[in-house]
Amino acid sequence: MNKKPTPRPTVVILGMGDTGVLVASRLNKRFRVIGVSTKTNLVSGQELGKRLADLPWWQTNYNTPLRQFKALAGVTLVHGKAEHLDISTNSVRIALSNGETESIDYDYLVIASGTSNGFWRTDTVQSASEIAADLSHQAQRVKAASSITVVGGGPTGVSVALNIKRADPSKKVSLCVSGTLPLPGYHSNARAFYQQALSDAGVDLLCQDRVVAVDEKQLSGSVKFASGASISSDAIIWTIGNRKAHTDFLPEHLLDEDRFVKTLPTLEVQGTENIFAIGDVASTDPERSSARNWAYGVLVHNLRRKAKGKPANKAYVPPANRWGSIVGPQENGLTLHQADGKRIRLSKRLVDTVLLPMIVRRFIYRGVKPDH
Ligand SMILES: Cc1cc2nc3c(=O)[nH]c(=O)nc-3n(C[C@H](O)[C@H](O)[C@H](O)COP(=O)(O)OP(=O)(O)OC[C@H]3O[C@@H](n4cnc5c(N)ncnc54)[C@H](O)[C@@H]3O)c2cc1C
């Protein structure tokens, strides 16, 4: 007698960015996976500096149509925006890109909807051509400007200022840092390293003075400092870390006071049985660092255990300091900063022939098909 196959449990992933894609690609075989996303592509939040200064290079590595990921074969992709989660019925309502509404039931839910963070990361529903038009418009704005003020000295501000200046040294680039050194949260060695690199490249570092009257919609003209000084430029780029979690569709009791998802070290959402959260939206630690540090492996392991009726038993342990690349690959290679302050430099050749195609695209993302 033929045994009836047991239906695979359904996992719905909300947000197919860096972490949603990784989780989907690991769960795809044992579960029925539905990936819901506002974008048809994985538009990475990484390397804004390279994106503005060298868009063709960035597009190859960081703007990938979801259908090109080999490991997503079999995943149902839904283009739309989650607008209401009902945990009593295990269902989520989606506003589809075609204007219709669909309710999707789940056995397990993964919230990976990320954050808005300035103009370069949004939760707007966009098609591939709308994404391309946006990227090109932003890069053109920088290309056309001869003077640029970058406000905010975190990793994005440093990456933007250094990459733009190195790509075109004739531009006047100023970086506004409210503290004494750029890169708060990074090891002091990394902070000193980039202070030197920025000044060697000719970026004007304006430290220890806060920009007042912050208006992220202001794209050019004058910015004023608390000291009374001001600076004027053809383009202003705000990289002030003004993150807004994409959580408006979630019940209030799942959110912390900053509206990020209350997430346990197991990456389960606090107070729920079958909901997980990962990435920039998940309040795992002050840096909300679970998009990095291999946290997707923890989530996949724990979700598989829960599906077998066992409790989650792996914990995500965030590193003490932020680590990784800050400015992306440069002419002299890629510098990776470790949490303990040490750094490793990979040659450009190694990055172009091994790191990006083999380690990132083949090993981490499990293969990317060429675009047709
Ligand atoms: C392999 C890897 C290497 C990394 N290396 C570094 C590094 O060296 N340095 C560093 O600083 N960071 C690094 N990062 C982290 C990275 O910069 C960000 O933290 C990461 O992009 C955040 O991923 P995310 O999935 O949380 O969010 P996102 O990638 O922003 O994805 C969220 C997605 O959800 C969509 N969405 C939003 N709202 C909804 C909704 N209501 N319904 C449906 N979809 C929605 C968004 O449009 C977006 O597509 C790395 C990440 C990875 C995976």
Side-chain angles (χ1 to χ4, degrees):
M1 200 171 82
N2 278 343
K3 225 172 132 193
K4 231 179 154 187
T6 336
R8 293 181 300 166
T10 300
V11 178
V12 172
I13 301 176
L14 299 177
M16 293 292 278
D18 277 322
T19 57
V21 168
L22 289 171
V23 169
S25 62
R26 266 66 181 182
L27 290 175
N28 190 9
K29 287 215 171 87
R30 300 194 202 168
F31 297 86
R32 176 177 164 246
V33 178
I34 302 175
V36 179
S37 205
T38 51
K39 320 275 185 217
T40 51
N41 295 12
L42 193 178
V43 185
S44 174
Q46 296 179 58
E47 314 289 14
L48 179 65
K50 297 290 291 181
R51 171 168 149 180
L52 294 175
D54 186 358
L55 183 58
W57 177 88
W58 187 88
Q59 299 248 56
T60 313
N61 297 293
Y62 294 104
N63 175 22
T64 311
L66 292 172
R67 62 180 157 71
Q68 281 180 232
F69 289 97
K70 291 181 183 170
L72 296 187
V75 169
T76 305
L77 294 170
V78 177
H79 187 203
K81 185 170 178 173
E83 54 173 28
H84 180 74
L85 171 66
D86 186 343
I87 54 175
S88 65
T89 57
N90 288 337
S91 69
V92 58
R93 192 176 70 228
I94 312 294
L96 298 172
S97 58
N98 64 9
E100 291 173 10
T101 300
E102 182 180 356
S103 186
I104 305 180
D105 295 337
Y106 60 84
D107 296 298
Y108 297 92
L109 184 74
V110 177
I111 302 166
S113 45
T115 58
S116 290
N117 188 6
F119 62 89
W120 65 99
R121 291 178 67 195
T122 71
D123 61 354
T124 322
V125 176
Q126 281 184 315
S127 65
S129 57
E130 287 165 333
I131 293 167
D134 232 18
L135 291 169
S136 149
H137 170 76
Q138 291 153 5
Q140 279 305 323
R141 182 168 87 89
V142 169
K143 202 169 179 190
S146 11
S147 56
I148 295 160
T149 301
V150 182
V151 185
T156 309
V158 169
S159 165
V160 167
L162 196 60
N163 277 293
I164 291 175
K165 184 69 182 173
R166 281 184 174 163
D168 183 353
S170 72
K171 289 188 197 299
K172 177 175 163 48
V173 179
S174 308
L175 176 64
C176 310
V177 179
S178 55
T180 46
L181 282 175
L183 298 170
Y186 281 85
H187 195 281
S188 54
N189 292 354
R191 302 184 76 181
F193 180 84
Y194 280 104
Q195 186 191 33
Q196 192 61 50
L198 288 159
S199 114
D200 289 350
V203 172
D204 290 335
L205 263 174
L206 310 172
C207 292
Q208 294 192 70
D209 204 355
R210 283 196 86 78
V211 169
V212 289
V214 168
D215 175 6
E216 290 187 63
K217 292 203 179 77
Q218 185 190 352
L219 299 181
S220 60
S222 172
V223 292
K224 293 192 178 55
F225 294 91
S227 64
S230 66
I231 181 172
S232 200
S233 54
D234 301 336
I236 303 172
I237 300 176
W238 300 91
T239 57
I240 51 178
N242 207 356
R243 288 176 175 234
K244 181 189 170 291
H246 297 149
T247 53
D248 288 350
F249 58 94
L250 293 173
E252 290 295 318
H253 71 275
L254 300 186
L255 307 180
D256 69 11
E257 58 196 15
D258 297 318
R259 303 191 62 75
F260 286 78
V261 181
K262 288 191 236 168
T263 310
L264 300 170
T266 53
L267 302 178
E268 293 169 285
V269 174
Q270 207 174 302
T272 70
E273 275 305 312
N274 57 349
I275 308 182
F276 290 77
I278 188 165
D280 292 359
V281 78
S283 188
T284 42
D285 58 294
E287 291 287 341
R288 303 183 193 105
S289 62
S290 67
R292 303 175 289 274
N293 312 309
W294 314 104
Y296 65 90
V298 173
L299 190 155
V300 166
H301 169 90
N302 287 337
L303 196 152
R304 282 183 185 152
R305 274 182 66 91
K306 299 234 21 176
K308 288 180 189 152
K310 298 177 185 168
N313 67 350
K314 257 196 188 171
Y316 169 64
V317 183
N321 284 304
R322 291 191 67 170
W323 67 277
S325 148
I326 294 172
V327 299
Q330 305 289 303
E331 280 309 309
N332 64 354
L334 176 72
T335 304
L336 295 172
H337 298 267
Q338 294 175 260
D340 63 4
K342 295 195 180 116
R343 55 176 189 271
I344 310 168
R345 165 105 36 104
L346 308 178
S347 72
K348 193 167 182 302
R349 195 177 138 77
L350 195 69
V351 171
D352 289 338
T353 59
V354 179
L355 180 72
L356 289 170
M358 313 278 282
I359 298 183
V360 176
R361 288 200 285 277
R362 195 174 295 176
F363 172 68
I364 298 182
Y365 285 102
R366 299 204 162 160
V368 180
K369 290 186 270 187
D371 197 5
H372 294 299

